[in-house]
Amino acid sequence: MRVVQQLQRRAHQVSRIVREEGVRQVGVRALHNAARRLGAGAEVFPVRLEDVRAADLGSPRPVVVPPVPADGRLTVNWVSTPPAPGSGGHTTMFRLVEHLESLGHTCRLYLYDVYGSRAADHEPVIRSAYPGFRGPVLDVLDGMADAHAVFATAWMTAYPVFNDPCAGRRFYLVQDYEPWFYPVGGLSALAENTYRMGFHGFTAGRYLADKLRGEIGMSADHFDFGCDADRYHLREGVRRDGVVFYARRLAPRRAIEVGLLALEVFAARHPDVTIHTYGEKIGSLGPRHVDHGLVTPDRLNDLYNRCYAGLSLSMTNVSLVPHEMLAAGCVPVVNDAVHNRVVLDNDHVRYAPATPHDLARALSDVVTTPDFAATALAASTSVSGRSWDAAGHHLEKLLTHSL
């Protein structure tokens, strides 16, 4: 049965691509090859070329905002790439969506899939991975219904949000500076152009809002990172034996090359300390290495509680990982960068230059800390008041004020 469903899904993908692109697809292949050379890392161009062609930023479409009903309940369209289980960006988006739903607002999810799959193909995964979401799962290529607000959630989704004629003020959930995902060139320009579409930004942390306002002139508000204290917390009686590294080759901004070299230097200095890695399988780093691969959030809390320090590198906006490590009493070692310091703003984070030896020294300083139990407790306490409810309340306040 599963094989039949996969074959049917593939047939729908092929028929959609042929129907939409037709003979143009022959020329499009050259652009796909160029995307791979430019670092897109995918067989398919990350945005539909028809959407880019249609987006004349010099002639924006007039936007109509429906009146807000007397009860104040809003309807919000969210345009997203197909959500994957465990994806940090999608998890944050659904936290905001579910908060709005809990307050009586209606949220619709419109999927933007350049691979040609239908929304119905993705809906079972979404319902399983994000069971709190109650709204419909739809296909943005079929057009959007009118709403009070329409959110883009990644640079490629901004194009259909800009082009679609539906009513609703345009907003942009910005969780990273996505032009930095690519080498300077065509793809980085296409991503940066989306910040000039006239949307109002709602950014993950103050750094991105400051950058978009100061460098591009985009209006923006920000929300502070929360922490899921129900899932990430300090466990008593767990013996710590190592350090942990979030290692992902598929996300170059996480600097796996620098991190692995830092662990190599650290292991030579501390052969008795276990090195844990997770995110994806990377192979053996030596006799004291445990390669966990992809792990569930609950297992991740156990892993953080077993480690003195966690190496978390980000060359763009900070990830969710450092706050989650702190909650479990695991001290994050982070590359020293303005975007990390501004967003984290936590005295228990250790910053080091992004060189293997400097990062290794920072890890050494943590694992040799006297009375580490006290350090772990202080680190965990430092994020105990953070929750995602604050971000949700800020979003509702922004929408209510704007509309």
Short mmCIF file of all heavy atoms in Angstrom, two decimals, residues 149-208:
data_model
loop_
_atom_site.label_atom_id
_atom_site.label_comp_id
_atom_site.label_asym_id
_atom_site.label_seq_id
_atom_site.Cartn_x
_atom_site.Cartn_y
_atom_site.Cartn_z
N ALA A 149 -4.50 38.63 7.80
CA ALA A 149 -3.04 38.68 7.72
C ALA A 149 -2.54 37.49 6.94
O ALA A 149 -3.12 36.39 7.00
CB ALA A 149 -2.42 38.68 9.12
N VAL A 150 -1.46 37.69 6.18
CA VAL A 150 -0.83 36.62 5.40
C VAL A 150 0.65 36.63 5.72
O VAL A 150 1.31 37.67 5.57
CB VAL A 150 -1.05 36.82 3.89
CG1 VAL A 150 -0.46 35.66 3.11
CG2 VAL A 150 -2.54 36.98 3.57
N PHE A 151 1.18 35.49 6.17
CA PHE A 151 2.57 35.38 6.59
C PHE A 151 3.40 34.58 5.59
O PHE A 151 3.06 33.44 5.27
CB PHE A 151 2.67 34.67 7.95
CG PHE A 151 2.63 35.60 9.13
CD1 PHE A 151 1.42 35.99 9.68
CD2 PHE A 151 3.80 36.08 9.69
CE1 PHE A 151 1.37 36.84 10.77
CE2 PHE A 151 3.77 36.94 10.78
CZ PHE A 151 2.55 37.32 11.32
N ALA A 152 4.50 35.17 5.14
CA ALA A 152 5.58 34.39 4.53
C ALA A 152 6.45 33.87 5.66
O ALA A 152 6.60 34.53 6.70
CB ALA A 152 6.41 35.27 3.60
N THR A 153 7.03 32.68 5.49
CA THR A 153 7.81 32.09 6.58
C THR A 153 9.21 31.66 6.15
O THR A 153 9.98 31.18 6.97
CB THR A 153 7.09 30.86 7.15
OG1 THR A 153 6.91 29.88 6.12
CG2 THR A 153 5.72 31.26 7.71
N ALA A 154 9.56 31.84 4.89
CA ALA A 154 10.90 31.58 4.37
C ALA A 154 11.00 32.35 3.06
O ALA A 154 9.97 32.70 2.46
CB ALA A 154 11.13 30.08 4.13
N TRP A 155 12.22 32.61 2.59
CA TRP A 155 12.36 33.55 1.47
C TRP A 155 11.60 33.10 0.23
O TRP A 155 10.98 33.93 -0.45
CB TRP A 155 13.83 33.80 1.16
CG TRP A 155 14.57 32.72 0.42
CD1 TRP A 155 15.33 31.73 0.95
CD2 TRP A 155 14.66 32.56 -1.01
NE1 TRP A 155 15.87 30.95 -0.04
CE2 TRP A 155 15.49 31.44 -1.26
CE3 TRP A 155 14.13 33.25 -2.10
CZ2 TRP A 155 15.79 30.99 -2.54
CZ3 TRP A 155 14.42 32.81 -3.39
CH2 TRP A 155 15.25 31.69 -3.60
N MET A 156 11.59 31.81 -0.07
CA MET A 156 10.90 31.37 -1.28
C MET A 156 9.38 31.50 -1.16
O MET A 156 8.68 31.73 -2.14
CB MET A 156 11.29 29.94 -1.65
CG MET A 156 11.04 28.89 -0.59
SD MET A 156 12.21 28.93 0.79
CE MET A 156 13.73 28.43 0.00
N THR A 157 8.85 31.42 0.07
CA THR A 157 7.41 31.57 0.25
C THR A 157 6.97 33.03 0.12
O THR A 157 5.78 33.30 -0.06
CB THR A 157 6.96 31.04 1.62
OG1 THR A 157 7.46 31.90 2.67
CG2 THR A 157 7.46 29.62 1.86
N ALA A 158 7.90 33.97 0.22
CA ALA A 158 7.54 35.38 0.09
C ALA A 158 7.04 35.69 -1.31
O ALA A 158 6.21 36.61 -1.49
CB ALA A 158 8.73 36.26 0.43
N TYR A 159 7.51 34.96 -2.32
CA TYR A 159 7.08 35.24 -3.70
C TYR A 159 5.58 34.97 -3.90
O TYR A 159 4.86 35.83 -4.42
CB TYR A 159 7.96 34.48 -4.68
CG TYR A 159 9.32 35.14 -4.85
CD1 TYR A 159 10.39 34.76 -4.05
CD2 TYR A 159 9.51 36.16 -5.76
CE1 TYR A 159 11.64 35.37 -4.18
CE2 TYR A 159 10.74 36.79 -5.90
CZ TYR A 159 11.80 36.39 -5.10
OH TYR A 159 13.02 37.02 -5.23
N PRO A 160 5.06 33.80 -3.53
CA PRO A 160 3.60 33.64 -3.66
C PRO A 160 2.81 34.56 -2.75
O PRO A 160 1.70 34.99 -3.11
CB PRO A 160 3.37 32.16 -3.30
CG PRO A 160 4.58 31.74 -2.53
CD PRO A 160 5.71 32.54 -3.11
N VAL A 161 3.34 34.91 -1.59
CA VAL A 161 2.64 35.85 -0.71
C VAL A 161 2.55 37.22 -1.39
O VAL A 161 1.53 37.91 -1.30
CB VAL A 161 3.36 35.95 0.66
CG1 VAL A 161 2.83 37.12 1.47
CG2 VAL A 161 3.20 34.65 1.43
N PHE A 162 3.60 37.64 -2.08
CA PHE A 162 3.62 38.91 -2.79
C PHE A 162 2.65 38.88 -3.98
O PHE A 162 1.94 39.86 -4.26
CB PHE A 162 5.03 39.21 -3.28
CG PHE A 162 5.18 40.53 -4.00
CD1 PHE A 162 5.39 41.71 -3.30
CD2 PHE A 162 5.10 40.59 -5.39
CE1 PHE A 162 5.53 42.92 -3.97
CE2 PHE A 162 5.24 41.80 -6.07
CZ PHE A 162 5.45 42.97 -5.36
N ASN A 163 2.61 37.75 -4.69
CA ASN A 163 1.86 37.68 -5.95
C ASN A 163 0.37 37.39 -5.76
O ASN A 163 -0.44 37.81 -6.58
CB ASN A 163 2.45 36.58 -6.84
CG ASN A 163 3.85 36.91 -7.34
OD1 ASN A 163 4.19 38.07 -7.55
ND2 ASN A 163 4.67 35.88 -7.52
N ASP A 164 0.01 36.68 -4.73
CA ASP A 164 -1.38 36.22 -4.60
C ASP A 164 -2.33 37.40 -4.41
O ASP A 164 -2.04 38.33 -3.64
CB ASP A 164 -1.49 35.26 -3.41
CG ASP A 164 -2.77 34.45 -3.46
OD1 ASP A 164 -3.85 35.01 -3.16
OD2 ASP A 164 -2.70 33.25 -3.79
N PRO A 165 -3.48 37.40 -5.09
CA PRO A 165 -4.41 38.54 -4.99
C PRO A 165 -5.28 38.53 -3.75
O PRO A 165 -6.11 39.44 -3.58
CB PRO A 165 -5.27 38.38 -6.25
CG PRO A 165 -5.28 36.90 -6.51
CD PRO A 165 -3.91 36.42 -6.12
N CYS A 166 -5.13 37.56 -2.86
CA CYS A 166 -6.03 37.49 -1.71
C CYS A 166 -5.87 38.72 -0.81
O CYS A 166 -4.83 39.36 -0.77
CB CYS A 166 -5.78 36.22 -0.90
SG CYS A 166 -4.29 36.26 0.12
N ALA A 167 -6.93 39.03 -0.07
CA ALA A 167 -6.89 40.13 0.90
C ALA A 167 -6.07 39.71 2.10
O ALA A 167 -5.90 38.53 2.40
CB ALA A 167 -8.30 40.49 1.31
N GLY A 168 -5.53 40.70 2.80
CA GLY A 168 -4.78 40.44 4.02
C GLY A 168 -3.48 41.21 4.04
O GLY A 168 -2.73 41.22 3.05
N ARG A 169 -3.19 41.87 5.17
CA ARG A 169 -1.92 42.57 5.30
C ARG A 169 -0.79 41.56 5.31
O ARG A 169 -0.89 40.49 5.92
CB ARG A 169 -1.88 43.41 6.57
CG ARG A 169 -0.61 44.25 6.61
CD ARG A 169 -0.52 45.19 7.77
NE ARG A 169 0.76 45.91 7.69
CZ ARG A 169 1.28 46.62 8.67
NH1 ARG A 169 0.64 46.75 9.81
NH2 ARG A 169 2.44 47.22 8.52
N ARG A 170 0.34 41.89 4.66
CA ARG A 170 1.45 40.96 4.51
C ARG A 170 2.46 41.10 5.65
O ARG A 170 2.89 42.21 5.99
CB ARG A 170 2.16 41.19 3.18
CG ARG A 170 1.67 40.36 2.00
CD ARG A 170 0.18 40.27 1.85
NE ARG A 170 -0.18 39.54 0.63
CZ ARG A 170 -1.40 39.26 0.26
NH1 ARG A 170 -2.42 39.64 1.01
NH2 ARG A 170 -1.63 38.58 -0.86
N PHE A 171 2.82 39.95 6.21
CA PHE A 171 3.81 39.86 7.27
C PHE A 171 4.86 38.83 6.87
O PHE A 171 4.66 38.03 5.95
CB PHE A 171 3.17 39.46 8.60
CG PHE A 171 2.22 40.48 9.17
CD1 PHE A 171 0.89 40.48 8.80
CD2 PHE A 171 2.67 41.43 10.07
CE1 PHE A 171 0.00 41.42 9.31
CE2 PHE A 171 1.80 42.37 10.61
CZ PHE A 171 0.46 42.36 10.22
N TYR A 172 5.97 38.83 7.60
CA TYR A 172 7.10 37.96 7.23
C TYR A 172 7.73 37.45 8.52
O TYR A 172 8.31 38.21 9.29
CB TYR A 172 8.12 38.78 6.44
CG TYR A 172 9.12 38.03 5.58
CD1 TYR A 172 9.71 38.66 4.49
CD2 TYR A 172 9.53 36.73 5.87
CE1 TYR A 172 10.65 38.03 3.69
CE2 TYR A 172 10.47 36.08 5.07
CZ TYR A 172 11.02 36.74 3.98
OH TYR A 172 11.96 36.10 3.20
N LEU A 173 7.56 36.16 8.79
CA LEU A 173 8.23 35.53 9.92
C LEU A 173 9.67 35.24 9.50
O LEU A 173 9.93 34.34 8.70
CB LEU A 173 7.52 34.23 10.32
CG LEU A 173 8.17 33.41 11.44
CD1 LEU A 173 8.23 34.21 12.74
CD2 LEU A 173 7.43 32.09 11.64
N VAL A 174 10.62 36.01 10.03
CA VAL A 174 12.03 35.91 9.63
C VAL A 174 12.80 35.27 10.78
O VAL A 174 12.96 35.87 11.85
CB VAL A 174 12.63 37.30 9.30
CG1 VAL A 174 14.08 37.16 8.85
CG2 VAL A 174 11.80 37.98 8.21
N GLN A 175 13.30 34.05 10.56
CA GLN A 175 14.03 33.35 11.62
C GLN A 175 15.53 33.29 11.36
O GLN A 175 16.29 32.80 12.20
CB GLN A 175 13.47 31.93 11.80
CG GLN A 175 12.01 31.93 12.18
CD GLN A 175 11.53 30.58 12.65
OE1 GLN A 175 12.05 30.03 13.61
NE2 GLN A 175 10.54 30.04 11.96
N ASP A 176 15.95 33.76 10.21
CA ASP A 176 17.38 33.81 9.89
C ASP A 176 17.56 34.79 8.74
O ASP A 176 16.59 35.15 8.06
CB ASP A 176 17.91 32.43 9.50
CG ASP A 176 19.33 32.19 10.00
OD1 ASP A 176 20.12 33.16 10.02
OD2 ASP A 176 19.65 31.05 10.37
N TYR A 177 18.82 35.21 8.54
CA TYR A 177 19.09 36.08 7.39
C TYR A 177 19.45 35.16 6.22
O TYR A 177 20.59 34.77 6.03
CB TYR A 177 20.24 37.05 7.69
CG TYR A 177 20.36 38.13 6.65
CD1 TYR A 177 19.42 39.15 6.58
CD2 TYR A 177 21.40 38.12 5.73
CE1 TYR A 177 19.51 40.14 5.61
CE2 TYR A 177 21.50 39.11 4.77
CZ TYR A 177 20.55 40.12 4.70
OH TYR A 177 20.64 41.09 3.74
N GLU A 178 18.42 34.78 5.47
CA GLU A 178 18.54 33.68 4.51
C GLU A 178 19.43 33.96 3.29
O GLU A 178 19.93 33.01 2.69
CB GLU A 178 17.15 33.22 4.09
CG GLU A 178 16.39 32.61 5.26
CD GLU A 178 15.01 32.10 4.89
OE1 GLU A 178 14.22 32.90 4.32
OE2 GLU A 178 14.72 30.95 5.16
N PRO A 179 19.68 35.21 2.90
CA PRO A 179 20.67 35.41 1.83
C PRO A 179 22.03 34.81 2.17
O PRO A 179 22.78 34.43 1.28
CB PRO A 179 20.74 36.94 1.69
CG PRO A 179 19.40 37.41 2.13
CD PRO A 179 19.00 36.49 3.24
N TRP A 180 22.35 34.72 3.47
CA TRP A 180 23.63 34.14 3.88
C TRP A 180 23.68 32.63 3.71
O TRP A 180 24.73 32.02 3.91
CB TRP A 180 23.91 34.50 5.34
CG TRP A 180 24.36 35.91 5.54
CD1 TRP A 180 24.80 36.79 4.60
CD2 TRP A 180 24.41 36.62 6.79
NE1 TRP A 180 25.12 38.00 5.16
CE2 TRP A 180 24.89 37.92 6.51
CE3 TRP A 180 24.09 36.29 8.10
CZ2 TRP A 180 25.07 38.89 7.50
CZ3 TRP A 180 24.26 37.25 9.09
CH2 TRP A 180 24.75 38.54 8.79
N PHE A 181 22.57 32.02 3.34
CA PHE A 181 22.57 30.57 3.13
C PHE A 181 23.30 30.21 1.84
O PHE A 181 23.59 29.04 1.60
CB PHE A 181 21.15 30.04 3.04
CG PHE A 181 20.40 30.04 4.36
CD1 PHE A 181 20.93 30.63 5.50
CD2 PHE A 181 19.16 29.44 4.46
CE1 PHE A 181 20.24 30.64 6.71
CE2 PHE A 181 18.46 29.44 5.66
CZ PHE A 181 19.00 30.03 6.78
N TYR A 182 23.56 31.19 0.98
CA TYR A 182 24.16 30.94 -0.33
C TYR A 182 25.38 31.83 -0.53
O TYR A 182 25.50 32.89 0.08
CB TYR A 182 23.14 31.25 -1.45
CG TYR A 182 21.79 30.63 -1.24
CD1 TYR A 182 20.70 31.39 -0.83
CD2 TYR A 182 21.60 29.26 -1.46
CE1 TYR A 182 19.46 30.81 -0.62
CE2 TYR A 182 20.36 28.68 -1.27
CZ TYR A 182 19.29 29.46 -0.84
OH TYR A 182 18.06 28.88 -0.64
N PRO A 183 26.29 31.40 -1.43
CA PRO A 183 27.37 32.31 -1.82
C PRO A 183 26.78 33.57 -2.45
O PRO A 183 25.66 33.55 -2.97
CB PRO A 183 28.16 31.50 -2.86
CG PRO A 183 27.78 30.08 -2.63
CD PRO A 183 26.37 30.10 -2.12
N VAL A 184 27.51 34.67 -2.39
CA VAL A 184 27.03 35.91 -2.98
C VAL A 184 26.79 35.68 -4.47
O VAL A 184 27.68 35.26 -5.20
CB VAL A 184 28.04 37.06 -2.77
CG1 VAL A 184 27.58 38.31 -3.50
CG2 VAL A 184 28.22 37.32 -1.28
N GLY A 185 25.57 35.92 -4.92
CA GLY A 185 25.22 35.66 -6.31
C GLY A 185 23.73 35.73 -6.51
O GLY A 185 23.01 36.41 -5.77
N GLY A 186 23.25 34.98 -7.51
CA GLY A 186 21.84 35.06 -7.89
C GLY A 186 20.88 34.64 -6.80
O GLY A 186 19.87 35.31 -6.53
N LEU A 187 21.15 33.51 -6.17
CA LEU A 187 20.23 33.03 -5.14
C LEU A 187 20.21 33.94 -3.92
O LEU A 187 19.16 34.18 -3.33
CB LEU A 187 20.60 31.60 -4.73
CG LEU A 187 20.20 30.51 -5.73
CD1 LEU A 187 20.72 29.15 -5.28
CD2 LEU A 187 18.68 30.46 -5.89
N SER A 188 21.37 34.43 -3.53
CA SER A 188 21.38 35.34 -2.38
C SER A 188 20.63 36.63 -2.71
O SER A 188 19.96 37.21 -1.85
CB SER A 188 22.82 35.65 -1.94
OG SER A 188 23.54 36.35 -2.95
N ALA A 189 20.70 37.08 -3.97
CA ALA A 189 19.97 38.28 -4.38
C ALA A 189 18.46 38.02 -4.37
O ALA A 189 17.68 38.86 -3.90
CB ALA A 189 20.42 38.72 -5.77
N LEU A 190 18.04 36.86 -4.88
CA LEU A 190 16.62 36.53 -4.88
C LEU A 190 16.07 36.45 -3.45
O LEU A 190 14.94 36.85 -3.18
CB LEU A 190 16.38 35.21 -5.60
CG LEU A 190 16.59 35.22 -7.12
CD1 LEU A 190 16.42 33.81 -7.69
CD2 LEU A 190 15.62 36.18 -7.80
N ALA A 191 16.88 35.93 -2.54
CA ALA A 191 16.45 35.86 -1.14
C ALA A 191 16.38 37.25 -0.53
O ALA A 191 15.41 37.60 0.15
CB ALA A 191 17.41 34.97 -0.35
N GLU A 192 17.40 38.07 -0.75
CA GLU A 192 17.42 39.41 -0.17
C GLU A 192 16.31 40.29 -0.72
O GLU A 192 15.76 41.15 -0.01
CB GLU A 192 18.78 40.07 -0.41
CG GLU A 192 18.96 41.38 0.33
CD GLU A 192 20.33 41.99 0.11
OE1 GLU A 192 21.28 41.52 0.78
OE2 GLU A 192 20.44 42.91 -0.71
N ASN A 193 15.94 40.07 -1.98
CA ASN A 193 14.87 40.88 -2.58
C ASN A 193 13.57 40.75 -1.81
O ASN A 193 12.74 41.68 -1.82
CB ASN A 193 14.65 40.46 -4.03
CG ASN A 193 15.78 40.89 -4.94
OD1 ASN A 193 16.58 41.75 -4.58
ND2 ASN A 193 15.86 40.29 -6.12
N THR A 194 13.35 39.62 -1.15
CA THR A 194 12.09 39.43 -0.46
C THR A 194 11.93 40.38 0.73
O THR A 194 10.81 40.62 1.18
CB THR A 194 11.94 37.98 0.04
OG1 THR A 194 12.95 37.67 1.00
CG2 THR A 194 12.04 37.01 -1.13
N TYR A 195 13.02 40.92 1.23
CA TYR A 195 12.93 41.89 2.33
C TYR A 195 12.53 43.28 1.83
O TYR A 195 12.35 44.20 2.63
CB TYR A 195 14.27 41.97 3.06
CG TYR A 195 14.75 40.65 3.62
CD1 TYR A 195 16.09 40.29 3.55
CD2 TYR A 195 13.87 39.75 4.20
CE1 TYR A 195 16.54 39.07 4.06
CE2 TYR A 195 14.31 38.53 4.71
CZ TYR A 195 15.64 38.19 4.63
OH TYR A 195 16.08 36.99 5.13
N ARG A 196 12.39 43.41 0.52
CA ARG A 196 11.98 44.69 -0.08
C ARG A 196 10.58 44.61 -0.67
O ARG A 196 10.21 45.42 -1.51
CB ARG A 196 12.98 45.09 -1.17
CG ARG A 196 14.41 45.30 -0.64
CD ARG A 196 15.36 45.78 -1.72
NE ARG A 196 16.66 46.09 -1.17
CZ ARG A 196 17.66 45.22 -1.05
NH1 ARG A 196 17.49 43.97 -1.49
NH2 ARG A 196 18.81 45.58 -0.52
N MET A 197 9.80 43.62 -0.24
CA MET A 197 8.46 43.42 -0.79
C MET A 197 7.38 44.19 -0.04
O MET A 197 6.20 44.09 -0.36
CB MET A 197 8.12 41.93 -0.81
CG MET A 197 8.91 41.15 -1.85
SD MET A 197 8.47 39.39 -1.86
CE MET A 197 9.32 38.87 -3.38
N GLY A 198 7.79 44.95 0.99
CA GLY A 198 6.83 45.76 1.72
C GLY A 198 6.13 45.04 2.84
O GLY A 198 5.15 45.57 3.41
N PHE A 199 6.59 43.84 3.21
CA PHE A 199 5.99 43.12 4.32
C PHE A 199 6.49 43.69 5.65
O PHE A 199 7.55 44.31 5.72
CB PHE A 199 6.35 41.64 4.27
CG PHE A 199 6.02 40.93 2.99
CD1 PHE A 199 6.60 39.71 2.69
CD2 PHE A 199 5.14 41.47 2.07
CE1 PHE A 199 6.32 39.04 1.51
CE2 PHE A 199 4.84 40.82 0.89
CZ PHE A 199 5.43 39.60 0.60
N HIS A 200 5.75 43.41 6.72
CA HIS A 200 6.21 43.77 8.06
C HIS A 200 6.84 42.54 8.70
O HIS A 200 6.21 41.48 8.78
CB HIS A 200 5.06 44.27 8.93
CG HIS A 200 5.51 44.75 10.28
ND1 HIS A 200 5.97 46.03 10.50
CD2 HIS A 200 5.61 44.11 11.48
CE1 HIS A 200 6.31 46.17 11.77
NE2 HIS A 200 6.11 45.01 12.39
N GLY A 201 8.08 42.66 9.14
CA GLY A 201 8.81 41.53 9.68
C GLY A 201 8.47 41.24 11.13
O GLY A 201 8.22 42.16 11.92
N PHE A 202 8.48 39.97 11.47
CA PHE A 202 8.38 39.51 12.85
C PHE A 202 9.53 38.52 13.02
O PHE A 202 9.48 37.40 12.51
CB PHE A 202 7.02 38.85 13.09
CG PHE A 202 6.74 38.54 14.54
CD1 PHE A 202 6.78 39.54 15.51
CD2 PHE A 202 6.40 37.26 14.94
CE1 PHE A 202 6.50 39.27 16.84
CE2 PHE A 202 6.11 36.98 16.27
CZ PHE A 202 6.17 37.98 17.22
N THR A 203 10.61 38.95 13.69
CA THR A 203 11.87 38.24 13.63
C THR A 203 12.20 37.48 14.91
O THR A 203 11.82 37.89 16.01
CB THR A 203 13.04 39.19 13.31
OG1 THR A 203 13.35 39.98 14.48
CG2 THR A 203 12.70 40.12 12.15
N ALA A 204 12.94 36.41 14.75
CA ALA A 204 13.42 35.61 15.87
C ALA A 204 14.64 36.29 16.47
O ALA A 204 15.76 36.13 16.00
CB ALA A 204 13.77 34.20 15.40
N GLY A 205 14.42 37.08 17.50
CA GLY A 205 15.50 37.80 18.16
C GLY A 205 15.68 39.20 17.60
O GLY A 205 15.28 39.52 16.47
N ARG A 206 16.30 40.05 18.43
CA ARG A 206 16.45 41.47 18.09
C ARG A 206 17.44 41.70 16.97
O ARG A 206 17.31 42.67 16.20
CB ARG A 206 16.88 42.24 19.34
CG ARG A 206 17.09 43.74 19.12
CD ARG A 206 17.21 44.48 20.43
NE ARG A 206 18.35 44.03 21.24
CZ ARG A 206 19.59 44.51 21.09
NH1 ARG A 206 19.85 45.43 20.18
NH2 ARG A 206 20.56 44.09 21.88
N TYR A 207 18.45 40.84 16.84
CA TYR A 207 19.50 41.08 15.84
C TYR A 207 18.90 41.21 14.43
O TYR A 207 19.25 42.12 13.68
CB TYR A 207 20.53 39.95 15.87
CG TYR A 207 21.53 40.02 14.73
CD1 TYR A 207 22.60 40.90 14.79
CD2 TYR A 207 21.37 39.25 13.59
CE1 TYR A 207 23.50 41.00 13.75
CE2 TYR A 207 22.27 39.34 12.54
CZ TYR A 207 23.33 40.21 12.62
OH TYR A 207 24.22 40.31 11.57
N LEU A 208 18.02 40.30 14.06
CA LEU A 208 17.46 40.32 12.71
C LEU A 208 16.61 41.56 12.47
O LEU A 208 16.66 42.16 11.39
CB LEU A 208 16.63 39.06 12.46
CG LEU A 208 17.40 37.75 12.31
CD1 LEU A 208 16.44 36.57 12.26
CD2 LEU A 208 18.28 37.78 11.06
#
